[in-house]
Amino acid sequence: MSLSLHTPPPTAAPAEPGAATALLESYRPATDRFLATPHRTLLGRGTAAAVPHDSRPAAVRVREVLDTARRAGDPAPVVVGALPFAPDAPPALDVPRSVRWAPPLREDPLIALPVAADEDRPRWRVREVPAPERYGEAVAAAVARMRAGEFDKVVLARTLELTSTREPDLPAMLRRLAHRDPAGYTFAVPSGPGRTLVGASPELLVARQGGRLTANPLAGSAPRSEDLAEDVRRAVALLESPKDLHEHAVVVAAVREALAPYCTVLEVPERPTLVRTAAMWHLSTTVTGDLADARATALDLASALHPTPAVCGTPTEAARAVIAEAEPFDRGAYTGMVGWQDADGDGEWVATIRCAEAEGRMLRLFAGAGVVAASTPEAETAETAAKFRTFLDAVGAAL
């Protein structure tokens, strides 16, 4: 069941076999924007209007573009795209010329079919930036500063630069990511001139549906194991880990503080649960609330949260400064937001993690780890390596 631009997004429609996977198969780079969430699948094509880059808050600019589109005769305009980690960097947000909607990928039985083997995958040359030993040194330096009381947490990232003799097959990459984790948030959107952001994030930053909001902060992670008994042991250990529980509590407290002013009621569970992806276990808390002001849009809420300690650290400005000093690259869209919003203010915004940015024959992969006073360089380096697995498997490369 695909719907046109002039129909609101589906919320509880019966799943028609093949509707969601048809949108996945239809994705084409450069012109299209694809987003699959646990609630819906979206494919936007072309550009009817772009959200401008200026000093006003992004939520204000998005609201203005959507209101203009509605006044021009579009009854249900939608903005789709990505916002960067840096607050002053240009967004990549557009109103597509057409939007097709379908139920979630996870409800499409065809998503269980195996992806056709790619016999002609490119050979990749992999460069680690920074090198693992340099990353470990940055973690150790941050831990020393935290133990001295300078700040509480910082998320330090590293990248893999994959280069080949030809451009990657982005539609095939997107299909492999979607089939690997169909219940997650899979996306492919333009992120700048000649660049495409592709990923499969496990983390919902915030969703708004009418007067109700949902946020799902993740913090505290452990790599999965192919051995069932070991996989269960790792999950139980994560639920009992003082270091990871502290890291998670810091993030949940920040989410509560940011969202409480927008709500008449905010429900925050006392203890986290577990969520899993194909590569990782994560501590997870689902926060729900009733909005006090119906004018607060999904992006207003997401902007109040961004950046959470799960992608930056705490205090925020101190963590940003450490990231700028320690990371020898520009994060760009990584640890920003990707998602959609309609003219009524409903939408879903996801933390831009487990992602890569494609540009020409290069693919830049990103992974980060939350560093607290109890962290070790070895553990955080191993965590980033495990997180890279999502994309390395999708492109047929090895670390």
Side-chain angles (χ1 to χ4, degrees), residues 245-272:
L245 288 170
H246 169 70
E247 180 183 342
H248 189 81
V250 168
V251 175
V252 172
V255 169
R256 185 201 303 265
E257 182 180 357
L259 293 181
Y262 292 90
C263 297
T264 55
V265 176
L266 189 66
E267 299 168 356
V268 184
E270 291 187 5
R271 287 187 60 85

Side-chain angles (χ1 to χ4, degrees), residues 49-131:
V51 174
H53 176 48
D54 56 41
S55 60
R56 294 173 298 163
V60 172
R61 287 175 273 148
V62 165
R63 188 183 298 114
E64 180 182 87
V65 168
L66 289 169
D67 288 346
T68 300
R70 180 177 269 176
R71 288 195 301 270
D74 187 341
V78 179
V79 158
V80 187
L83 286 149
F85 174 67
D88 57 349
L93 298 169
D94 299 282
V95 177
R97 289 191 179 279
S98 65
V99 176
R100 295 160 62 195
W101 301 90
L105 277 174
R106 63 178 178 175
E107 295 179 5
D108 190 331
L110 299 188
I111 199 66
L113 297 177
V115 180
D118 185 355
E119 303 296 339
D120 191 30
R121 290 194 190 184
R123 292 179 178 271
W124 296 102
R125 186 173 74 253
V126 181
R127 176 173 173 255
E128 300 180 68
V129 182

Side-chain angles (χ1 to χ4, degrees), residues 345-373:
D346 289 340
E348 297 170 285
W349 295 97
V350 179
T352 311
I353 55 178
R354 307 298 186 279
C355 64
E357 192 170 51
E359 184 174 11
R361 294 177 302 194
M362 176 179 284
L363 196 62
R364 183 175 288 106
L365 282 59
F366 300 88
V371 180
V372 294

Side-chain angles (χ1 to χ4, degrees), residues 130-140 155-158 327 367-371 377 380-382 384:
E133 58 273 17
R134 294 287 177 266
Y135 180 77
E137 290 169 2
V139 170
V155 178
L156 294 180
R158 62 189 184 109
E327 294 180 358
V371 180
E380 307 310 335
T381 304
T384 55

Side-chain angles (χ1 to χ4, degrees), residues 2 22 31 36 38 57 76 81 87 148 165 167 203 208 234 240-241 269 275 281 293 299 335 338 341 345 380:
S2 295
T31 60
T165 55
E167 294 187 7
E203 184 170 1
R208 175 194 184 271
R234 292 182 184 184
E240 298 175 348
S241 164
V275 297
W281 286 106
D293 185 350
L299 191 51
T335 62
V338 61
Q341 181 173 299
E380 307 310 335

Side-chain angles (χ1 to χ4, degrees), residues 212-234:
R212 190 76 172 163
L213 70 82
T214 304
N216 184 208
L218 306 182
S221 306
R224 301 286 306 277
S225 172
E226 294 181 359
D227 178 80
L228 178 58
E230 173 61 17
D231 197 42
V232 171
R233 188 200 68 77
R234 292 182 184 184

